[in-house]
Every structure is written in C-alpha cells, then in structure tokens.
Amino acid sequence: MTRQLPEGESLLVRTDYSDDEAWRETLATATQPWDFGGDIESSAALTPVDDPAFDGLTLSDLKALIGSPPPYYIFLADSRAITDPEHPILAVDTGAEESNDALAAGGVYPTFRVAPKAMASVENNLSIANMDFEEFAGAIDADGVFRGF
C-alpha cells in the first residue's frame, strides 16, 4: 500500500484501526461545535484521513510523507487516542524551523496531545496562525494533554 497524505488543512490521520467505534467517537468529539462563551461558537475544521494505508504510521514514517512546503501541523489518532477513554489526539509540529533542525539531528517532530473537546481551540488558532504550537505545548497538563486554558 502506498501512503500519501491528501491535500487539505488540519489533517486528522487515523493510524490505529483496532476500534472503529472509538475512532468515530474521537472524530465526533473533536469536530463538534463548542461554546467559547459570549455567544462565540466554533468547531475544528479537521480533514479526517481514514485510510488503512496509514495503519501503524509512526512519527518516523511521517517524515517521509511530509512534502515541501509541509503542512505546519498534523493531528494523529494513534493507539493512545483510540484506546485511552479520553481519546487524546497527538498534535505534531511539522513546519517550524526547530522541527526541521530536530529532524536533521535524527530526532522527531515536537508533539503534544490534545483532548478532543479542546480541539476547536487548537485547530482554529493554529489554522489562522493566531497562536503557535509552542503556546499550546506550554499549556499541557502533567500527563502531556492540552485540555484548554
């Protein structure tokens, strides 16, 4: 099977196919409208990628798929996102200069996890460059999951 990321922004790539119901629940929660207060409601404009070719995709594998110019971030519904009851999605910084430096040194992309209920805040702000990856990564809880400010 050939892996190729589709065109689109805010890709949410399913990389674990062990539980279809958990995937549907994760996607539904991540894309539902959220009330931010003051009559402000928004939802994450995710592009779901549900293709078994991506089953088992790792961060190392992802390096080979990212084109130039890359998407600046990508979300992965990996095994933890599928099996953990909270379904924390892996957010991956693929576009920052620091990310490229880390890759050149043999490292992997910077990451943090986001609770699906907080996805609208993360996706909306990253997509318009209102906030950057580091701001969200710096606001994670002790377990590495961003749940909101």
Side-chain angles (χ1 to χ4, degrees), residues 39-58:
D39 295 327
I40 299 173
E41 190 176 272
S42 186
S43 59
L46 296 169
T47 302
V49 180
D50 188 2
D51 181 341
F54 294 101
D55 188 24
L57 181 81
T58 66

Side-chain angles (χ1 to χ4, degrees), residues 122-147:
V122 173
E123 189 281 328
N124 289 183
N125 282 292
L126 289 178
S127 70
I128 63 170
N130 184 51
M131 295 177 72
D132 61 27
F133 196 87
E134 292 78 22
E135 289 177 272
F136 289 106
I140 60 174
D141 291 339
D143 63 354
V145 178
F146 176 80
R147 294 180 176 86

Side-chain angles (χ1 to χ4, degrees), residues 51-96:
D51 181 341
F54 294 101
D55 188 24
L57 181 81
T58 66
L59 289 178
S60 295
D61 298 334
L62 189 58
K63 290 190 291 190
L65 297 176
I66 299 297
S68 180
Y72 293 100
Y73 57 89
I74 193 166
F75 302 105
L76 301 179
D78 61 358
S79 61
R80 180 169 172 200
I82 298 301
T83 62
D84 184 306
E86 189 178 24
H87 304 296
I89 296 166
L90 188 64
V92 184
D93 182 359
T94 59

